[in-house]
Amino acid sequence: MSDAVAVPSVDPAKIDEIFATYDTSHAPGVAVGIALGGKPLYRKAFGLANLEQNQTLSPSIRMRIGSTTKHFAALAYMLLVEDGLASLDDPVRKHIPEMSPAVADGVTVRQLMSHTSGLRCSLDLSMQLNGLGHYMSHADTLDLFAAQDGINFEPGTSWSYNNGGYTALSVAIERLTGQRLEDVLRERIFEPLGMTDTLLRRVDTDFVPNSATLHMLGKDGAFTKEYLGMEVSGEGGMASTIDDMLLWMAHMDRPVVGTVETWAAMTTPVILKNGYSTRYALGLSVGEYRGLATLEHGGTVMGGGCQMIKAPGVGLDIIVITNRAGVDVMSLADRIIDACVPDLGPPLEDVQETNITGLYYDPATGSTLQLLEHGGRQLIGMGGATLPARRDAAGRLHSVYRIFDAVIDAPAGDPAPAQLTYSQWGTPDVLARLEPGPQPDMTDRAGLYVSASTGTDAVLAVEGDQPTLTFKGRWNTARYGLTYAGASLWRATSVDMAHFGLGGFVEFDADGGGFAFSAGRTRRLRFERSQA
């Protein structure tokens, strides 16, 4: 289809039906905004802003937008480029000289903003090694990011979502301007556009008027108040309203903040060294949905989430924000597109075939891939998340979520192939199926291990046949139970916070000298055995 011939319309009854599940007076909910040609046509909220106060949610209540913040931070830096104070291709160490030359030399600010730097994500490191709920200042996060002595991949060769890169970007903006990021955003973006209810909110433990409460899901499925604890800034610290975000998206079509050149850079996907498009520009994803060109960015926070998506060719703007965990805001926004835009291309194909289950692994690269089945649906475990999959006509599996690039070639009809090819960002990797077999005796491996770059001690304890790994990080501790997966690989499952998705894999050295820990955005972090 062509964007030029699609004429969207907004039927409030159809949109109400999409969100009927959340139209309740006893649970947190979802706020929704839809505009055509910059004119708001649907503004509505469902559910509660706060369970304790029984306050009804509304489109004018502030809600966290998480990583949708990233393109605002990117724009703030680009305004400094316009001022002649910086360049997109400045070396990161020009602004963050404390970063290790061994890993940061050759990394540019553009690569930080496009998630192609290959540097490890400090937010992921902190959560996996310290758990959640502890306070961690912005300076602490930068220290952890800057202290790394290893990388996930060579800069420009792959893509991995990196919140730490935007922490560093925030610091660069603050050092260039001599102001805190919240003041830069307010003075140069929010106030000029009349976004009077939008702000950068670094923590959830302060008091901000007219704000919805985040609602996490506990182990028993009940809503709880649990906070990330650490300060967040340009990586995901903004709070806004449906009305302000509709105003912002209208501005994106006819920008008055930022030059034509700035917005061209922010909406042009970065190409990897192998020629593969990341479909990600500077804080924005560029792609399509059912043949419709899209510009979007989502955001996940503890107890909430956001999806901002534009279809510029037809003038459609959609913002969906929730203050409860477990809501798939991306799929909800896609359903709005389905309801508003006629003559869309066909839905993504999903050819029914035998589902595959099992764990696949390449010892050379450390890559792991978990394939699962739930309710007859094929799922993919990748990047610390479990995602629904679809199968194309050629038999290949894909993630249904656009931001995750995953293509899996496996023999059709075989629920447990001996090997498969797993491609991410244009680079294929052949993974073999792991069968656990007899569990090795880990008694002689018990003891203390150290990661100098993260300031973390790891204690491996063995009680009976159950090994437990406890990370004692700079700010807190995190405990994992180890389950043998096969070869030298063990699965690490959080003892206290498995429901938050914490966990990863441990590869023990054959000679007992140490191990490597890999999680969603951390590849083979080294721990050496200590003689202390």
Side-chain angles (χ1 to χ4, degrees):
M1 64 161 280
S2 166
D3 287 357
V5 300
V7 182
S9 62
V10 179
D11 182 341
K14 289 183 179 179
I15 308 304
D16 288 349
E17 184 178 351
I18 293 172
F19 293 92
T21 302
Y22 305 101
D23 191 8
T24 173
S25 60
H26 62 268
V30 181
V32 187
I34 308 171
L36 286 176
K39 180 180 179 180
L41 298 180
Y42 186 96
R43 306 166 49 260
K44 199 164 184 179
F46 305 85
L48 299 177
N50 185 295
L51 281 182
E52 285 183 312
Q53 298 179 2
N54 202 36
Q55 179 187 8
T56 302
L57 194 60
S58 83
S60 59
I61 288 181
R62 291 181 173 118
M63 303 175 73
R64 281 208 173 274
I65 64 171
S67 286
T68 308
T69 301
K70 285 186 169 65
H71 73 291
F72 288 89
L75 176 58
Y77 183 84
M78 292 302 296
L79 295 178
L80 304 184
V81 173
E82 293 178 13
D83 293 343
L85 298 176
S87 164
L88 255 182
D89 294 311
D90 278 349
V92 170
R93 294 192 68 243
K94 178 178 179 179
H95 305 295
I96 318 289
E98 60 266 44
M99 293 196 67
S100 166
V103 298
D105 273 0
V107 175
T108 66
V109 176
R110 186 194 302 268
Q111 289 170 334
L112 285 186
M113 296 161 73
S114 61
H115 303 301
T116 58
S117 70
L119 300 174
R120 290 181 178 142
C121 175
S122 51
L123 184 64
D124 185 60
L125 284 170
S126 174
M127 291 192 299
Q128 299 289 352
L129 303 180
N130 297 269
L132 299 172
H134 59 280
Y135 177 72
M136 185 173 170
S137 71
H138 199 241
D140 292 335
T141 305
L142 181 67
D143 286 346
L144 183 59
F145 187 70
Q148 294 312 296
D149 58 5
I151 57 176
N152 287 338
F153 52 82
E154 292 296 325
T157 64
S158 190
W159 189 95
S160 180
Y161 201 77
N162 192 327
N163 285 294
Y166 273 78
T167 301
L169 180 71
S170 301
V171 172
I173 293 169
E174 293 178 338
R175 290 177 177 178
L176 284 164
T177 61
Q179 294 179 282
R180 285 170 64 80
L181 180 63
E182 43 265 74
D183 297 325
V184 176
L185 292 173
R186 185 185 70 254
E187 293 174 9
R188 302 207 60 171
I189 300 176
F190 305 154
E191 288 180 349
L193 299 182
M195 297 173 68
T196 56
D197 289 317
T198 302
L199 73 159
L200 183 70
R201 184 183 183 187
R202 293 181 184 252
V203 296
D204 289 307
T205 51
D206 59 357
F207 296 98
V208 176
N210 189 40
S211 295
T213 299
L214 297 171
H215 298 79
M216 195 60 200
L217 284 170
K219 294 179 180 179
D220 60 357
F223 289 112
T224 62
K225 286 194 293 186
E226 296 180 78
Y227 300 131
L228 183 63
M230 63 187 68
E231 285 188 323
V232 287
S233 54
E235 64 270 30
M238 276 176 51
S240 189
T241 66
I242 291 297
D243 294 330
D244 272 9
M245 288 303 295
L246 288 176
L247 181 65
W248 167 250
M249 286 189 283
H251 166 264
M252 290 173 72
D253 293 325
R254 296 168 292 278
V256 295
V257 176
T259 64
V260 171
E261 293 77 14
T262 284
W263 280 96
M266 288 186 58
T267 56
T268 301
V270 168
I271 306 299
L272 299 177
K273 290 181 179 180
N274 62 4
Y276 197 88
S277 173
T278 63
R279 305 188 302 277
Y280 195 95
L282 306 180
L284 288 166
S285 291
V286 183
E288 66 170 41
Y289 173 72
R290 296 183 62 183
L292 191 69
T294 58
L295 187 65
E296 63 186 289
H297 208 292
T300 300
V301 296
M302 283 184 62
C306 172
Q307 171 68 345
M308 182 198 80
I309 184 166
K310 293 174 63 67
V314 296
L316 177 64
D317 296 336
I318 297 168
I319 180 72
V320 181
I321 316 176
T322 182
N323 65 329
R324 60 188 282 180
V327 178
D328 184 352
V329 287
M330 179 182 287
S331 294
L332 288 171
D334 287 349
R335 290 178 63 189
I336 293 175
I337 297 175
D338 295 339
C340 293
V341 183
D343 305 320
L344 285 168
L348 292 174
E349 58 192 343
D350 187 7
V351 178
Q352 296 304 303
E353 184 51 88
T354 303
N355 290 329
I356 302 172
T357 59
L359 178 63
Y360 291 81
Y361 171 60
D362 180 359
T365 63
S367 294
T368 57
L369 178 71
Q370 180 79 55
L371 294 175
L372 312 97
E373 181 181 38
H374 179 73
R377 184 75 188 269
Q378 179 74 66
L379 303 177
I380 304 173
M382 54 174 286
T386 300
L387 311 172
R390 63 178 181 85
R391 190 183 296 271
D392 65 22
R396 295 168 299 200
L397 291 173
H398 304 256
S399 161
V400 300
Y401 293 141
R402 294 182 287 277
I403 196 171
F404 292 98
D405 186 85
V407 181
I408 301 162
D409 278 301
D414 186 349
Q419 67 178 34
L420 48 76
T421 301
Y422 176 37
S423 299
Q424 279 195 296
W425 312 110
T427 301
D429 193 0
V430 177
L431 279 62
R433 182 181 177 86
L434 280 183
E435 300 292 350
Q439 178 174 304
D441 182 0
M442 300 296 287
T443 305
D444 64 342
R445 302 292 184 97
L448 176 66
Y449 298 78
V450 175
S451 165
S453 68
T454 64
T456 304
D457 290 343
V459 178
L460 178 66
V462 181
E463 296 183 10
D465 61 353
Q466 177 56 61
T468 301
L469 188 64
T470 301
F471 291 128
K472 298 181 178 181
R474 296 186 193 178
W475 300 277
N476 210 337
T477 61
R479 296 188 302 148
Y480 295 88
L482 300 185
T483 304
Y484 185 55
S488 62
L489 192 70
W490 293 70
R491 186 190 303 275
T493 304
S494 174
V495 173
D496 305 305
M497 297 184 176
H499 59 299
F500 288 117
L502 296 186
F505 290 94
V506 176
E507 299 168 278
F508 283 99
D509 297 351
D511 62 5
F515 65 82
F517 176 72
S518 298
R521 296 165 187 164
T522 301
R523 300 186 190 178
R524 288 185 160 170
L525 175 68
R526 283 294 304 171
F527 282 80
E528 304 296 342
R529 189 158 193 172
S530 172
Q531 302 305 314

